[in-house]
């Protein structure tokens, strides 16, 4: 796993073979971040990384200048790996939280400029994530929510859906706080 750009550009971290996580490929990560720069000024932004897995997205957000990144991951070994990576970078910009994403969202009171979620593609609650994010009003006024998912989900009819991007087998749906006009 490598950091694509920013302060820590080129840094590599070896992911243990025992990990169950499916990290976002470097190809997909680079492409989705090329899209996100149209929506988000990362310098000073606040971000939430849900289902952090290896921490790849959190580390990329830190490297790109986010002032705060909250990283939520349930798996103990994955959480520890994220903590170790942050120690190697000697940064305190990221707050790694070990816990259930839905419990975290239920009690979260903070708003973010960017929320990124990469849940297991087979997660039965995956389709509810956009509704949870918008019902809890977790995005700032011009915030962006990015949901990584498999090909079986289509969010184009969601009122906050903005666009869909596909890179190989990886799909991203992008949502904004601005609702689409009712047709």
């Amino acid at each position: 796993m490598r950091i694509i750009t920013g302060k820590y550009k080129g840094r590599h971290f070896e992911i243990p073979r025992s990990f169950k996580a499916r990290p976002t490929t470097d190809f997909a990560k680079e492409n989705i971040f090329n899209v996100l720069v149209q929506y988000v000024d990362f310098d000073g932004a606040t971000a939430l990384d849900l289902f952090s897995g290896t921490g790849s997205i959190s580390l990329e957000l830190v490297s790109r200048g986010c002032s705060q990144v909250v990283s939520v991951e349930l798996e103990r070994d994955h959480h520890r790996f994220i903590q170790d990576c942050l120690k190697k970078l000697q940064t305190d910009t990221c707050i790694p939280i070990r816990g259930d994403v839905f419990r975290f969202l239920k009690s979260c009171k903070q708003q973010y400029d960017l929320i990124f979620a990469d849940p297991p593609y087979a997660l039965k609650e995956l389709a509810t994530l956009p509704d949870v994010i918008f019902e809890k009003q977790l995005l700032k006024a011009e915030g962006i929510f990015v949901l990584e998912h498999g090909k079986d989900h289509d969010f184009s009819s969601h009122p906050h859906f903005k666009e869909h991007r596909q890179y190989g087998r990886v799909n991203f749906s992008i949502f904004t706080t601005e609702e689409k006009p009712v047709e």
Side-chain angles (χ1 to χ4, degrees):
M1 170 180 86
R2 73 179 170 96
I3 297 176
I4 306 293
T5 198
K7 181 178 180 179
Y8 304 109
K9 179 181 178 175
R11 292 289 299 265
H12 286 265
F13 298 93
E14 289 298 318
I15 301 169
R17 294 186 189 275
S18 61
F19 272 24
K20 302 172 198 165
R22 167 201 34 76
T24 304
T25 64
D26 285 349
F27 173 74
K29 182 169 64 170
E30 185 169 5
N31 280 290
I32 194 61
F33 272 92
N34 286 340
V35 172
L36 292 179
V37 296
Q38 301 169 40
Y39 294 103
V40 180
D41 179 4
F42 292 103
D43 193 32
T46 57
L48 175 61
D49 182 14
L50 302 172
F51 306 95
S52 301
T54 62
S56 174
I57 298 299
S58 291
L59 296 174
E60 191 70 39
L61 291 166
V62 167
S63 183
R64 289 172 184 255
C66 286
S67 62
Q68 181 191 54
V69 178
V70 176
S71 174
V72 183
E73 173 55 45
L74 181 60
E75 285 285 330
R76 182 191 69 223
D77 292 342
H78 298 186
H79 177 259
R80 189 175 302 127
F81 179 77
I82 294 168
Q83 288 178 310
D84 290 345
C85 292
L86 293 168
K87 282 180 191 166
K88 287 176 185 172
L89 295 178
Q90 298 178 336
T91 181
D92 60 358
T93 306
C94 183
I95 303 165
I97 295 175
R98 181 172 174 238
D100 177 77
V101 164
F102 290 98
R103 279 185 144 162
F104 174 85
L105 292 175
K106 189 175 183 180
S107 63
C108 184
K109 303 288 185 236
Q110 185 174 345
Q111 288 187 317
Y112 300 90
D113 296 298
L114 171 68
I115 300 175
F116 191 99
D118 181 8
Y121 289 179
L123 181 74
K124 65 179 180 169
E125 302 93 346
L126 186 145
T128 67
L129 280 165
D131 290 334
V132 172
I133 298 297
F134 289 102
E135 285 168 11
K136 293 285 296 172
Q137 299 178 353
L138 297 176
L139 287 173
K140 292 182 181 177
E142 294 182 11
I144 299 293
F145 171 49
V146 180
L147 177 58
E148 183 174 334
H149 56 86
K151 65 178 189 246
D152 298 335
H153 288 88
D154 177 6
F155 294 96
S156 59
S157 63
H158 192 278
H160 292 277
F161 177 82
K162 184 72 173 176
E163 66 175 292
H164 173 262
R165 296 291 177 123
Q166 182 177 353
Y167 306 105
R169 293 186 195 149
V170 182
N171 290 267
F172 296 99
S173 288
I174 301 172
F175 304 83
T176 64
T177 53
E178 184 180 310
E179 288 192 47
K180 292 190 293 190
V182 179
E183 296 176 4

